[in-house]
Structures are given as C-alpha cells and as structure tokens.
Amino acid sequence: MSTILRTSRLTKRYGGKTVVSDVNMTIIPGDIYGFLGQNGAGKTTTLRMIMGLIHPSSGEVELFGKPLHGNKGEAMERIGAIIEYPGFYLNLNAADNLEIHRRLMGMGNRESIDDALAAVGLLDAKHQKVKQYSLGMKQRLGIARALLHHPELLILDEPTNGLDPVGMKEMRQLFLELVRKRGITFLISSHLLSEIEQLSNKIGIIHKGRMLEEIDYESLQRKTRHYLDIKVTDEKKAAFILEQKLGTTDYVVAGSGGLRLYEHLDEPDRVSLLLAEGGVGIKEMVLSGDSLEEYFLKLTGGDKFA
Amino acid sequence: MLNVLLTEIMKLKNTKMHWLILLGAIPANLVTLYAFLPRVTPEGTRAGIDLQDMFYRQGMVITILGPFMFALMTGYIISREYQERTINQLFSYPVSRTKILFAKLGAVVVLIFTTSLLSCIMVTATGVIMSFTKPVEMEVLWSGIRMNMLAGLLALGTIPVSAALSMIGTSVIPSTVLGAFATIVTLIGEMGHGMRNILFPWAMPYWPVRELAQGLAESGPNPYAVPGMTILAVTFMVSLVFCIVYYEKAEIHSGS
Ligand SMILES: Nc1ncnc2c1ncn2[C@@H]1O[C@H](COP(=O)(O)OP(=O)(O)OP(=O)(O)O)[C@@H](O)[C@H]1O
Ligand SMILES: [Mg+2]
C-alpha cells in the first residue's frame, strides 16, 4: 500500500540526551493520525525532523514514498504545516501573509486566498493586521495558510492550543470536513487524549521520546471496552446460551472456561440466571476492562495525560 | 528568484524601514545646504555654488552613517524571521535556503541604493538646475552620481558580515552593535581625511568620496585602493560563504 509518511527508527539526540528514540510511524492516505504525548515527550522534535527543520541523529523520514533527503522541495509542495506556533508577519494583514505564502509555494491563482480564509471563518478579518489577531485567530489563519496550496498532508502541531472549547469543536469539525471533502490526510499532535480520541482513526503514543504504541481506533476501542468476565464450567454451552437466549454475538471465548461478554453489562443477574437454567455453572463473574484513560495510564507507567 | 525577492520586499510593508531610509538620507541632504551659505574667495569676490563640494559632503555623511544604517537593515531582515517565529514556515517552502538568503540580501541591496539615491537628491537637483546655465556642471554631476553608485556598491561588501551575525544571534543586536562601532571608526577616519582609512572594510565606500575632495594635503590616486579592495573582497567572500553554509545547515529550533 502507498504511504504518505513513514519514519523508520527516527532518533534525535541533543548532547548526550536522547530526545526522540527509534520512532516508527506510518501514515496512509486518509488517515487522521493522532500523535499523542505529554509536554516534552518529543512530538515537536519529531515533526521538525519530518519537515526537514532539524536533522535526525539517525533514522529516516520518507514522504510520499520518497526519502525526504534529496526530495524536500517536492515533498513540501504537498504538505501544509504548523509547527509549534503559527508565526506570521505581524505588520501585514492576513491577505498579504497568505499572498507571500502563495508566491513561495509557487502557485497560480489569488482567489484561493479568499477560499482558504473562508474555510476557517476569517474572511471578515482579511484586511486586519495579524498583530491584532488573538492566538485563536492566528491558529485558524495558520490552518488557512496550511490549506492554501491544496496539500495532501496537513501536519499540525497542537492546533487547538489557545482555542476555547467552542473553537476546539469547530476546528474538529473543520478537520473532519476536510478529510471528507478533500481527502486530506492529517498528522495532528496533541497532549489531550480527549481531542485525539474524538478525531483520529489512528493513534501513535509517544512517551519520553519513545513510540509506545501505534494503534488504530478500532483496536483501541476493543482494548478499552468493558466486559463481563465470566468463568464457566462449559464455555461452548455458555456461548450457545448467550446467542440463543440473550440474543447477542458480542462476546469472545477466551479459552479455559473464560468468556468475555461486551453487552448486557448492567444485568449480570439475568445473564447468570440464563446460564444456570441452561445447565452451565458459573464460577466467577466480574465487570472488567480499562477506560481509555486507564489504558494510557498503564501504557505510560502511571503518568497522566492532561 | 525575482518572485522570492518580491516577497522579501512585501514583508517590509508597514515596517519602520522607510523611516530608517529617511534617517539615513536626510542628514546627507541637510549637509549639502552648507553650500548655499555665502562664501567669499581669497580674491574677495563672491564664490558660486560648488557642486563638487556638495557631493563630497553628502558622500561623507552617507558613508559615515551607512555602516550603522545598513547593518541595522540587514539585521532586521535576517533576524525578524526568528523573532516573529516565521522561520519554521520560511524553511518549509519548496525554495532552497540559499535562494532565500540571496533574496534577503537582494532586499538589502534595494534598501542601500534607495538610501543612497535619496541621500543625493538635494545636490543632484541643484546640479540639474545649474546645468541649465552652465554646461560644464554636467560633468561634475555625473561624477557625483558615479561616486554614489560606487559607494553603494562598496557598502555591500560588509553586508554578509551583518547577515552572519544576525543569523547566529537570531537577533538584530549583534549586527547593530557592530554597525555602530564601524560607524564610529569610519567617522574618526573620515575626519582625518587619511587615504589609509579605506583599509577598514566598512570605510571602503569613502574611497570614491575622497576622490571628489579638493585642497586636501595628499591628492592623486589612493595607493591603498588595491589593498583596500582586496581586504573588502575577502571579507565579502568569506562572510558570504559562511552565511550560505550556516543558513543551509542550521537547525531550526526557534519558535519554541
Ligand atoms: N534544541 C534543544 N536542545 C536540547 N533539548 C531540546 C531541544 N529541543 C527540545 N529539547 C528537549 O526535547 C524534549 C522534547 O521536546 P519537544 O518540544 O519535542 O516536546 P513536545 O512533545 O513537543 O512537548 P510540548 O507538548 O511541550 O510541545 C524536551 O525535553 C526538550 O527539553
Ligand atoms: Mg511541542
């Protein structure tokens, strides 16, 4: 399958300190890749290496199937990005800032500036100097700039920094719309589990410079679902009863008399009665499973995500 | 390339750059007014306006202020990208960093020549008006304009030094301090009218200016022109190569 982005064993050391260590990341077309990590985990450093702003100590970055080294110009035409902070020429208005971007990206038409501003709801502030913009407005203008040249991949480093909850929600909707309408692939970093959870179809968790896990949303859901953990005398018979009497197939047989039932969590009494009536003995029945947050807590060894 | 240069010029819109240009140009214009004060020759007759002397004074002022002004302009153009945290974006374009550097230096060239041009506007206007009555003034006028162009060109020699300091320091301060120092050294040198001043690269633009001077102790072609030019050329080449290598290799952390 074609990849948009692949990093292999990407590593960055400053002095003796390894800040990013052996990070492998794979993004395919259509992904909304959530890059989750606490402050100082190494998110920005990784993104800087992907954008060619700093040189990896070792490892490689591959964009659109080609190594970044030697193909940077070509790759950059196909990427829109905000790294760390949406910097603008404060003495200029939004339109002039985007005009500079348009020229440096080497693209043709000026109308796209209005389109990009309209997409983030800043058309009215087009002639206002960026000096007068709030941080939230700058974030949105940063996204307008990143979108202007019709990129295939958007790399956004904590794009909802400085936005209020309403602004965050609007931003999420905008991202989803861009995926739907334009088929843009996203790489979004965040330290907010809730944000990534609501947006991403794939999550990479970085902690102290290491990629702890790269997981798609469905697998994560599976891993973080609650279930009734049932130990029975005969799991085959029990499974038959669950399907016939309870009418559910949402369970797995875990082997050696174990079953995990993902439905009817609030009626263990009914489940146990049905099993007993069918002649299945119940040795144990407990509600288990981690919440998403608990799952991440375990992964990072107890360090909390804000 | 022209496109990248144009974006650099666009970035200067609404900045204090035009005040800086005027600040560099106005003193030189004011000094030329001196020529309009009454002057009496040793024979006791009233002397006319001396165009060559006007150019000389104007040239002195612009070559003294130049090192400071031009260092400030260069420092601003290079360092603002770090200060305003636009450098991440700037280095994420499908344009090589060397090309960006040359566009920035190109913008400095535009500013230097604009300042030089404005600094000699008064004397040039005087010359043009005088040329209606005295055809001989045309020659002096042309030599004055030539002097300004050459002085502007020579001022470019030290620009990459300012650029290098600004990219290392990611601030306008190192370049400005150096510029102020160079201006003081040049001022002291030009006050002495010595021919040897031009061995200091920032004072090299004084070379064509001094050629216009009259009645100085030493006259004739400046014997230090060749060594002066050599020093300036080496300064230019070394600092320019340093800038290119540094700009290309630099890791961009700023914006954090
Ligand atoms: N230029 C540098 N020199 C030395 N250490 C650095 C440098 N840049 C970053 N670091 C260190 O690397 C680590 C990761 O930094 P990075 O900015 O990548 O984290 P982050 O995940 O983006 O955090 P945040 O959520 O705060 O933005 C931090 O411990 C930081 O101190
Ligand atoms: Mg960061």
Side-chain angles (χ1 to χ4, degrees), chain A residues 90-135:
Chain A
L90 302 177
N91 52 307
L92 303 179
N93 64 27
D96 286 341
N97 268 288
L98 295 195
E99 173 64 11
I100 287 173
H101 180 83
R102 187 186 71 83
R103 286 176 177 278
L104 290 174
M105 275 295 174
M107 41 170 282
N109 60 332
R110 269 167 197 261
E111 295 87 76
S112 47
I113 290 179
D114 281 2
D115 294 346
L117 285 171
V120 298
L122 281 177
L123 202 50
D124 291 339
K126 180 181 171 184
H127 296 294
Q128 203 174 327
K129 277 191 198 174
V130 179
K131 195 182 285 173
Q132 297 158 355
Y133 272 37
S134 68
L135 178 56

Side-chain angles (χ1 to χ4, degrees), chain A:
Chain A
M1 197 188 309
S2 75
T3 58
I4 296 272
L5 167 70
R6 195 208 307 271
T7 70
S8 44
R9 311 204 60 181
L10 202 57
T11 300
K12 184 68 186 178
R13 279 183 287 273
Y14 287 117
K17 197 175 157 223
T18 305
V19 169
V20 170
S21 180
D22 288 327
V23 165
N24 295 321
M25 189 187 266
T26 308
I27 301 182
I28 59 169
D31 271 348
I32 305 186
Y33 190 103
F35 193 31
L36 184 64
Q38 299 158 329
N39 293 130
K43 303 182 294 292
T44 303
T45 306
T46 306
L47 299 184
R48 280 186 194 284
M49 286 191 275
I50 292 171
M51 292 301 291
L53 293 170
I54 59 178
H55 312 289
S57 304
S58 62
E60 264 152 48
V61 176
E62 202 183 282
L63 282 161
F64 309 103
K66 287 182 187 171
L68 175 64
H69 190 77
N71 300 292
K72 192 183 166 193
E74 191 191 324
M76 290 304 132
E77 284 176 8
R78 301 166 73 177
I79 299 178
I82 307 178
I83 304 297
E84 191 102 59
Y85 178 85
F88 290 97
Y89 303 104
L90 302 177
N91 52 307
L92 303 179
N93 64 27
D96 286 341
N97 268 288
L98 295 195
E99 173 64 11
I100 287 173
H101 180 83
R102 187 186 71 83
R103 286 176 177 278
L104 290 174
M105 275 295 174
M107 41 170 282
N109 60 332
R110 269 167 197 261
E111 295 87 76
S112 47
I113 290 179
D114 281 2
D115 294 346
L117 285 171
V120 298
L122 281 177
L123 202 50
D124 291 339
K126 180 181 171 184
H127 296 294
Q128 203 174 327
K129 277 191 198 174
V130 179
K131 195 182 285 173
Q132 297 158 355
Y133 272 37
S134 68
L135 178 56
M137 288 169 85
K138 279 188 202 159
Q139 287 285 14
R140 287 190 288 161
L141 185 58
I143 286 163
R145 177 169 64 187
L147 279 176
L148 184 67
H149 53 289
H150 304 294
E152 293 157 60
L153 171 65
L154 270 189
I155 299 181
L156 305 174
D157 191 10
E158 315 228 12
T160 51
N161 244 352
L163 296 185
D164 54 27
V166 177
M168 281 166 111
K169 189 155 173 247
E170 283 174 2
M171 200 63 93
R172 272 200 300 275
Q173 277 160 357
L174 172 68
F175 294 162
L176 292 172
E177 194 182 304
L178 289 169
V179 172
R180 240 190 3 253
K181 286 197 186 154
R182 299 201 201 171
I184 297 178
T185 304
F186 279 80
L187 165 54
I188 299 180
S189 86
S190 178
H191 60 273
L192 295 173
L193 176 58
S194 58
E195 182 174 78
I196 292 296
E197 188 195 347
Q198 291 176 59
L199 205 57
S200 307
N201 72 321
K202 202 188 257 181
I203 301 179
I205 300 146
I206 188 171
H207 187 64
K208 295 183 176 156
R210 291 186 172 277
M211 191 72 113
L212 296 183
E213 190 161 57
E214 211 179 27
I215 188 171
D216 60 54
Y217 189 72
E218 287 78 37
S219 316
L220 187 63
Q221 288 271 296
R222 236 174 289 130
K223 285 193 181 189
T224 58
R225 280 181 81 186
H226 285 95
Y227 52 89
L228 283 174
D229 196 2
I230 313 170
K231 295 259 183 323
V232 291
T233 50
D234 183 345
E235 74 257 22
K236 287 219 178 86
K237 212 168 171 185
F240 181 77
I241 294 165
L242 292 181
E243 289 190 18
Q244 294 302 311
K245 308 274 183 203
L246 212 54
T248 177
T249 53
D250 198 2
Y251 68 89
V252 292
V253 178
S256 58
L259 273 171
R260 288 181 176 187
L261 175 61
Y262 291 100
E263 284 182 349
H264 305 283
L265 301 184
D266 52 350
E267 32 185 20
D269 43 352
R270 189 170 156 224
V271 174
S272 58
L273 264 173
L274 286 173
L275 287 173
E277 276 169 11
V280 176
I282 298 165
K283 297 178 185 168
E284 199 183 314
M285 177 148 64
V286 285
L287 184 65
S288 35
D290 291 335
S291 73
L292 196 55
E293 181 137 4
E294 285 160 342
Y295 177 76
F296 284 116
L297 278 177
K298 275 188 192 164
L299 213 55
T300 59
D303 290 340
K304 255 185 111 58
F305 282 95

